[in-house]
Amino acid sequence: MAKLRFCVVFVFYLLLKCETANVDNISSDIKIKNVDRTIDISTQLVKISTKITLENTGKAPVKNFLLAVEASAKDNLAFIGAKDSNGKELKLAETTVKGHDNVKFWRVELKEALAAGASAAVSSEAVLTKVLTPYPTEITQQEDQFVKYNGNLYYYSPYTVASQKTTVNTNTKSIESFTKVKPFQQQETSLQYGPTTNIAPFTEKELSVHYKNNSPFLTVTRVERLIELSHWGNIAIEETIEIEHTGAKLKGPFSRYDYQQDERSSSASVSSYKTLLPASAADVYYRDTNGNISTSRMRVKKDSVELDLRPRYPLFGGWRTHYTLGYNVPSYEYLYHSGNDYLLKMRIIDHIFDDMQVDEVVTKIILPEGTAGLKLNLPYAVTRLPDTLHHTYLDTKGRPVITFIKKNVVENHIQDFQLRYTFPRLLMFQEPLLVVGFLYALFLCVIIYVRLDFSIHKSEHPHKE
């Protein structure tokens, strides 16, 4: 009975520890002296850069602080990061705060503890997708695209902000309307708010801007990236990409004649875009369901291969396209080994186009047959699917396949994964030996068939007299 009670108490203790492991408190010792925030809405992405000056008003050193994202924006957040005054990345960990269940929090670990009475400068960056709404939602072929941005006028923080300035960059003079809260100033292509003083924690006020935005509103709805590794010196990469124009939909018919006469009249459409491949990419192919697309152009640069992709037809709002892009790279640039231990280091996704937003990336890694001890290290959280086997020619058991999914991807997610595994080097001779054995057996059968007589009776030959 005593043992049972001990087990129950121990289990309860573990559950309590697990619940409180990622729970933080808002420190009353931390104040924000100044915030200088820039909101870039010139493309289809909303990029928010913030310079923060922290102050420790307490008596004990502070090792971390909290970043917060309001409930209205947390589902659109694709990336968030922080750096210190020297530009070095700070470690972020997602956490929670009691009483603020609808808010997303991140605990930021400082490189050095902030002493009592001291100040420190920190910068943060956030990228949001699908925040800009086309208004009107439908336009004709010759019309410009106007969109609306709705966000928070104030820097959303769990701490009191002593002073704040906000700059909104639109990259256009065509601003139809915007929120007018004093003090504000309208310049040619930007709006400036502030300075505003003594902003309470978790303060929200709507910031709305209606302006012209003809930048490409392309959304990659799905990318299936296949990486097939060979220990004979080659890595084959193939991407199946589905793209949709998510801007204002095309109203009325499309005229190819008007489009060819003056492409500038269709400024909201997308006729081509640039994809960047690794500098060592070779044997590049680009095709859709109808076959090879020959209107693509490739330029080899020092650090990349620039591929100018032009779909079969221009993309207007609501239109879609689907294509496959593949190439080969040498394995010695990405594969390292010591004895039977191997390390594969490659990008999870490559640059598809500028200011890209990707709904879902499915990455599949096909390894040589016989690999074991797979250990995958990723730079951010993904959803890993169960490992499977891929069967192809000369395989006996099948090749291991690792698959993982990442949603809401932007350019900040172009980072490397690391895959460690073991592979007996003698297995490299498995396929050549299978080919030699098959040919040997085939020739042996031919020799036996030619040399031996399998007829039931011998043929009678006439005798010569």
Side-chain angles (χ1 to χ4, degrees), residues 109-252:
E109 301 291 341
L110 297 172
K111 294 288 185 181
E112 297 180 358
L114 185 61
S119 300
V122 177
S123 62
S124 70
E125 179 186 9
V127 181
L128 291 85
T129 60
K130 300 184 178 180
V131 176
L132 304 179
T133 306
Y135 188 80
T137 57
E138 295 182 353
I139 57 175
T140 62
Q141 183 175 333
Q142 287 76 24
E143 288 182 311
D144 289 316
Q145 176 177 262
F146 283 79
V147 299
K148 270 189 174 182
Y149 166 72
N150 290 306
N152 191 355
L153 180 63
Y154 299 113
Y155 173 65
Y156 194 76
S157 173
Y159 312 109
T160 300
V161 178
S163 178
Q164 174 193 314
K165 291 181 181 179
T166 298
T167 302
V168 182
N169 292 328
T170 62
N171 200 27
T172 179
K173 296 180 181 179
S174 302
I175 301 177
E176 295 290 299
S177 63
F178 61 93
T179 299
K180 297 179 181 179
V181 175
K182 294 182 179 181
F184 74 91
Q185 182 181 4
Q186 181 181 4
Q187 296 184 349
E188 289 188 352
T189 61
S190 65
L191 304 169
Q192 294 183 356
Y193 295 90
T196 307
T197 58
N198 297 325
I199 304 170
F202 303 109
T203 299
E204 291 186 70
K205 186 174 181 60
E206 184 181 22
L207 169 62
S208 178
V209 184
H210 184 207
Y211 63 104
K212 183 174 74 174
N213 189 340
N214 281 326
S215 65
F217 270 59
L218 290 181
T219 299
V220 181
T221 55
R222 179 182 169 88
V223 177
E224 185 169 324
R225 180 174 168 88
L226 183 65
I227 302 172
E228 187 169 0
L229 174 64
S230 171
H231 282 179
W232 290 96
N234 185 69
I235 300 177
I237 301 173
E238 184 177 88
E239 296 178 340
T240 303
I241 301 176
E242 300 174 8
I243 292 182
E244 180 182 1
H245 192 305
T246 51
K249 294 184 178 180
L250 178 64
K251 180 173 63 176

